[in-house]
Amino acid sequence: MRVEIWSDIACPWCYVGKARFEKALDAFPHRDEVEVVHRSFELDPDRTKGDVQPVLTMLTKKYGMSEAQARAGEENLGTQAAAEGLEYRTRDRDHGNTFDMHRLLHLAKAQGRQDELIGALYRANFAEERSVFGDDERLVELAVAAGLDKDAAREVLADPSAYADDVRADEREAAELGANGVPFFVLDRKYGVSGAQPAEVFAQALTQAWGERPPLKLIQDDSAGSEVCGPDGCAVPQS
């Protein structure tokens, strides 16, 4: 079974939702038969790479909050994150464009290190002091820590077209599926779960999606022969 997760590194609920989903997935009896793929979604796609500002400033301008409301929201997120065993800095974080991070995540997908990189990016953005925005070398460091090749990461960041089409394709697909916010979880292209739901909701969705998978339909023409190899050896044609 495949689970696709549309998310953005700048999204705190994606950070929390990933932890809740993984809690459910770790307890799922068929965990080893579930493939998880992270897909791209930008919350602020029109922001330029160099436009970095404090989170509180972004919240007050974009959502019309008062500074007190923005601070209270961050404190609540810190509490929610702590409940999932996550570190979360409620003060002095910043916000910026995440397009390059998504491009690196597609490189990581090609190298089988996608989950490691998205985890490193989340931790860096929400728990560590050094910014992840507007600093290519910071992103290279995180890519290397996630097991990616340093030169490959630098090449992607130096070429704005590298994996750009993959990011845009993910975003178009999210729109086609009706996702207008993240995190957005799609299970076997049959069920969707929106938001950082409790682990129990994810557990229920996994169980339901697994139980409703269609049985395998075997196509076989016995008249043409159906020789196979099994634990006891291979069928040998008799003369």
Side-chain angles (χ1 to χ4, degrees):
M1 184 168 71
R2 169 181 279 202
V3 177
E4 297 162 277
I5 307 173
W6 272 265
S7 59
D8 192 12
I9 302 305
C11 165
W13 288 116
C14 296
Y15 179 49
V16 173
K18 181 176 186 290
R20 291 175 177 173
F21 170 75
E22 289 176 346
K23 183 181 294 184
L25 185 61
D26 286 343
F28 187 55
H30 308 286
R31 173 37 188 127
D32 293 340
E33 297 173 76
V34 177
E35 176 191 14
V36 177
V37 179
H38 296 282
R39 309 291 295 271
S40 299
F41 189 107
E42 294 172 276
L43 290 172
D44 209 347
D46 296 326
R47 184 179 292 272
T48 61
K49 183 173 180 175
D51 183 6
V52 181
Q53 63 182 173
V55 166
L56 291 183
T57 301
M58 180 275 293
L59 291 172
T60 56
K61 288 184 176 180
K62 187 172 182 178
Y63 300 106
M65 296 180 178
S66 68
E67 185 171 327
Q69 288 173 320
R71 287 191 182 280
E74 284 295 285
E75 292 295 335
N76 175 57
L77 279 161
T79 301
Q80 298 284 342
E84 305 304 329
L86 302 172
E87 294 183 47
Y88 189 96
R89 295 176 63 238
T90 59
R91 302 289 178 94
D92 301 322
R93 288 193 305 106
D94 58 9
H95 176 83
N97 180 279
T98 57
F99 187 59
D100 283 348
M101 299 180 212
H102 286 294
R103 295 194 301 114
L104 282 176
L105 282 166
H106 278 280
L107 169 67
K109 179 182 177 183
Q111 297 188 4
R113 308 294 295 178
Q114 196 182 38
D115 195 66
E116 289 81 359
L117 180 58
I118 199 168
L121 290 169
Y122 277 142
R123 286 190 298 274
N125 185 38
F126 292 110
E128 298 175 8
E129 290 187 17
R130 186 176 169 190
S131 176
V132 297
F133 299 104
D135 183 352
D136 284 359
E137 282 307 303
R138 173 63 164 151
L139 295 183
V140 169
E141 290 175 11
L142 293 169
V144 171
L148 300 187
D149 178 76
K150 180 186 294 185
D151 292 336
R154 283 204 174 114
E155 286 176 9
V156 167
L157 293 172
D159 178 7
S161 68
Y163 294 104
D165 289 344
D166 299 87
V167 175
R168 298 307 182 210
D170 277 359
E171 293 173 337
R172 285 194 301 272
E173 197 162 9
E176 291 167 2
L177 290 169
N180 53 17
V182 284
F184 188 70
F185 301 77
V186 176
L187 290 75
D188 257 2
R189 288 301 171 106
K190 190 172 183 180
Y191 293 100
V193 178
S194 180
Q197 300 288 341
E200 294 78 13
V201 173
F202 288 121
Q204 180 182 353
L206 287 166
T207 299
Q208 186 169 347
W210 182 269
E212 295 186 14
R213 291 177 308 140
L216 182 69
K217 294 182 179 179
L218 182 64
I219 299 175
Q220 181 171 308
D221 182 356
D222 289 331
S223 66
S226 55
E227 293 81 5
V228 296
C229 292
D232 297 324
C234 299
V236 179
Q238 301 296 313
S239 57

